[in-house]
Amino acid sequence: MDHRIEKMEQYAKEYHIPIMESDGIEFVLDYIEKHHIKNILEIGTAIGYSAIRMCLVHENITVTTIERDQERYELALQNISEFGLENRIKVLYQDAFSVELEETYDMIFIDAAKSQYIKFFEKFEKNLKPNGVIISDNINFHGMTHTKEPILSRNVRGIVRKLNMYIDFLKENPNYNTFFYDIGDGISVSIKQVK
Ligand code: SAH
Ligand code: MG
């Protein structure tokens, strides 16, 4: 394993940055490779870990990624330049809800505020190519979207309720065929249906 990747993983652990879990990222990288994904839109850059790893799958991959936190945005730029990927990863320092994009993508990866997933999906699906896929991370939210145990924190309860609404939204969405995987912190893969 590349020491620069390990360095990012250690940093994330030390400073509690919620980067993708290792099983989860491996699953997504595999998906990108198998489906010849070329351009990716990511909502939620953090320090650039997943963007960099996705980009490294193949030299023709480009990533546009959005981050609203200034410190994380700056760390992401630093990490991206350590890999010399400035020309293939474009980081937008903005709130995703104020971003307007014209381009269309093979894949949209949603990994930002967990209570806003339906809104991210609805905002960016116009930027998805006809055969494109929307992948979302943290669908299980540490197992809490499935648990029957009472959740004590009101804040966490709110997030779990919203994630469950997102799961139903995906299941009922006739324009996408969605698969759910118990990998990492739970991943959904929503494939746009061609009509
Ligand atoms: N994809 C990253 C982890 C992202 S963590 C990885 O696996 O390496 C989620 C990030 O989304 C946080 O850094 C947070 O600041 C950012 N975020 C949350 N809501 C956002 C929004 N509305 N617009 C832009 N960024 C957002
Ligand atoms: Mg995540």
Side-chain angles (χ1 to χ4, degrees):
M1 173 71 77
D2 189 314
H3 74 279
R4 293 167 297 180
I5 290 174
E6 275 178 358
K7 215 174 86 188
M8 282 190 285
E9 288 170 352
Q10 271 160 24
Y11 183 93
K13 202 169 179 185
E14 191 170 343
Y15 294 97
H16 306 288
I17 316 261
I19 64 168
M20 282 203 90
E21 290 183 20
S22 71
D23 292 3
I25 188 76
E26 292 303 336
F27 173 86
V28 172
L29 300 182
D30 201 53
Y31 191 95
I32 290 170
E33 187 173 18
K34 285 200 176 115
H35 295 84
H36 309 289
I37 303 284
K38 290 206 176 64
N39 63 340
I40 301 167
L41 171 64
E42 175 182 67
I43 325 293
T45 317
I47 60 171
Y49 176 77
S50 54
I52 289 168
R53 296 216 55 192
M54 293 191 291
C55 211
L56 291 175
V57 170
H58 197 277
E59 61 200 10
N60 65 9
I61 294 173
T62 55
V63 179
T64 297
T65 180
I66 310 171
E67 176 55 58
R68 67 179 173 190
D69 180 89
Q70 185 179 359
E71 196 182 338
R72 290 182 180 181
Y73 163 74
E74 281 165 6
L75 282 163
L77 291 185
Q78 271 178 38
N79 287 326
I80 290 162
S81 87
E82 273 204 44
F83 283 84
L85 292 172
E86 301 94 324
N87 296 331
R88 288 164 52 201
I89 304 179
K90 182 160 70 190
V91 191
L92 305 177
Y93 171 43
Q94 252 176 303
D95 191 296
F97 292 111
S98 53
V99 171
E100 286 307 331
L101 297 167
E102 295 297 325
E103 206 179 326
T104 56
Y105 300 86
D106 299 317
M107 178 199 256
I108 298 177
F109 178 51
I110 303 178
D111 191 21
K114 309 309 161 205
S115 55
Q116 313 273 307
Y117 273 22
I118 295 180
K119 284 208 214 153
F120 291 133
F121 191 106
E122 288 180 330
K123 177 172 170 68
F124 291 105
E125 65 172 326
K126 67 172 191 310
N127 298 101
L128 191 64
K129 291 205 170 129
N131 276 305
V133 63
I134 300 185
I135 295 188
S136 314
D137 188 36
N138 307 101
I139 291 298
N140 291 350
F141 206 61
H142 318 292
M144 286 190 282
T145 49
H146 300 318
T147 188
K148 302 224 158 26
E149 302 287 315
I151 298 165
L152 296 178
S153 148
R154 186 161 173 258
N155 185 24
V156 173
R157 218 159 45 225
I159 293 170
V160 169
R161 189 171 50 82
K162 290 275 184 58
L163 275 172
N164 277 319
M165 284 167 66
Y166 183 60
I167 291 169
D168 290 340
F169 163 86
L170 294 177
K171 284 181 180 165
E172 288 159 11
N173 194 325
N175 301 321
Y176 295 82
N177 199 359
T178 297
F179 302 88
F180 296 92
Y181 297 92
D182 276 323
I183 294 173
D185 194 29
I187 291 174
S188 63
V189 175
S190 307
I191 300 163
K192 190 166 171 179
Q193 300 301 294
V194 186
K195 293 213 195 103

